[in-house]
Amino acid sequence: MQIPLFPLNVVLFPGSKLPLHIFEERYKSMINDCIQDDKIFGMNYMSEKNLHSTGCTATVSKVVKRSPNGELDIEITGVNRFFLRKYDLNSNGYFIGDIEMLEDNNIFTNENNFEHAVEEYNKLIDITSHGLLGKIDPLDVKWRNGKNSVSFFISQKCGLTIQERQMMLEINTENERLKYLVNYFDKLMPKIAEADRIATIIKNDGYLQ
């Protein structure tokens, strides 16, 4: 399967929403084509000219603004993880990728890790967002029916570095992702005196809930 790619210094998760400002001509063309034909495109983390192979497909869920010069303010939504097998520049100047969709296993069997990760996340949100972000209800069926990933939801707003977010995206099962988050929180929470630093990361990371 071939899709257009939008390499960026950001990690998109399935189900996450991100605002983007599109100003380069090649990407204005790409995004307008995706909007017109209701097509997906790929988001891959670009670090120091290294394009990471595991990415997330995205759709344009909202066009916020169109400027007279063609620039766009849009909101995108992550759909599915994929593995980038190869990519090439097309005639319009942006990359086209040959991708393989990855199966998203969102079912967890370790209840303790689920409850621990959710509890620590809710504590962190209490401390850092002052009520601006909603907490996770551990009894909500949407986290238990396999359609949604609570680990990806937590990863948007818990202060992970960009490299840690990429690592999360590359983990294939919900059990392993929750285990990663439990270890992260176990190291973070005793250092909660750094809450101001974490709050700054959370406020500025761009994710929308």
Side-chain angles (χ1 to χ4, degrees):
M1 180 179 183
Q2 289 191 327
I3 61 172
L5 301 178
F6 193 177
L8 206 60
N9 187 33
V10 69
V11 174
L12 180 68
F13 298 112
S16 296
K17 296 182 184 296
L18 275 175
L20 292 178
H21 178 68
I22 311 299
F23 59 91
E24 289 189 55
E25 290 299 326
R26 54 180 173 168
Y27 291 122
K28 286 191 289 186
S29 172
M30 186 192 90
I31 292 298
N32 278 315
D33 286 345
C34 289
I35 293 170
Q36 179 177 329
D37 298 330
D38 195 23
K39 295 190 301 186
I40 61 172
F41 60 95
M43 293 284 293
N44 292 78
Y45 170 42
M46 173 74 84
S47 61
E48 298 179 353
K49 298 187 178 180
N50 176 35
L51 189 62
H52 290 254
S53 296
T54 301
C56 185
T57 60
T59 60
V60 178
S61 47
K62 183 188 295 185
V63 177
V64 179
K65 180 182 178 182
R66 287 184 182 271
S67 299
N69 62 2
E71 294 184 9
L72 294 162
D73 289 315
I74 61 174
E75 180 184 295
I76 66 170
T77 300
V79 184
N80 290 106
R81 297 183 311 126
F82 67 84
F83 181 79
L84 181 61
R85 292 192 290 228
K86 62 180 180 179
Y87 60 94
D88 291 295
L89 276 176
N90 72 354
S91 58
N92 292 319
Y94 57 81
F95 291 120
I96 295 290
D98 183 5
I99 70 165
E100 175 186 350
M101 290 294 188
L102 297 174
E103 182 178 351
D104 284 328
N105 183 350
N106 297 326
I107 296 291
F108 61 87
T109 56
N110 191 317
E111 186 73 21
N112 287 335
N113 280 351
F114 169 78
E115 291 181 356
H116 186 47
V118 169
E119 180 182 8
E120 295 302 288
Y121 172 79
N122 286 342
K123 286 179 184 176
L124 183 65
I125 291 305
D126 257 345
I127 294 168
T128 59
S129 80
H130 307 292
L132 295 177
L133 296 178
K135 294 183 183 180
I136 294 172
D137 178 0
L139 300 180
D140 193 328
V141 69
K142 73 179 181 181
W143 304 124
R144 298 174 178 274
N145 60 13
K147 295 181 180 179
N148 301 278
S149 167
V150 74
S151 65
F152 286 148
F153 184 86
I154 290 172
S155 296
Q156 301 173 78
K157 288 288 186 182
C158 70
L160 293 175
T161 65
I162 188 83
Q163 293 81 11
E164 290 169 332
R165 292 176 190 177
Q166 181 63 31
M167 289 178 64
M168 280 292 294
L169 188 67
E170 294 174 5
I171 299 174
N172 291 323
T173 69
E174 188 73 349
N175 276 332
E176 289 301 312
R177 291 192 292 263
L178 287 170
K179 181 179 178 181
Y180 184 99
L181 288 172
V182 166
N183 291 333
Y184 168 76
F185 282 126
D186 284 347
K187 295 175 183 177
L188 173 68
M189 298 309 280
K191 303 175 183 178
I192 205 62
E194 296 182 309
D196 286 343
R197 181 184 68 84
I198 299 298
T200 299
I201 294 174
I202 292 172
K203 184 174 70 173
N204 294 328
D205 65 10
Y207 284 103
L208 303 172
Q209 275 195 345

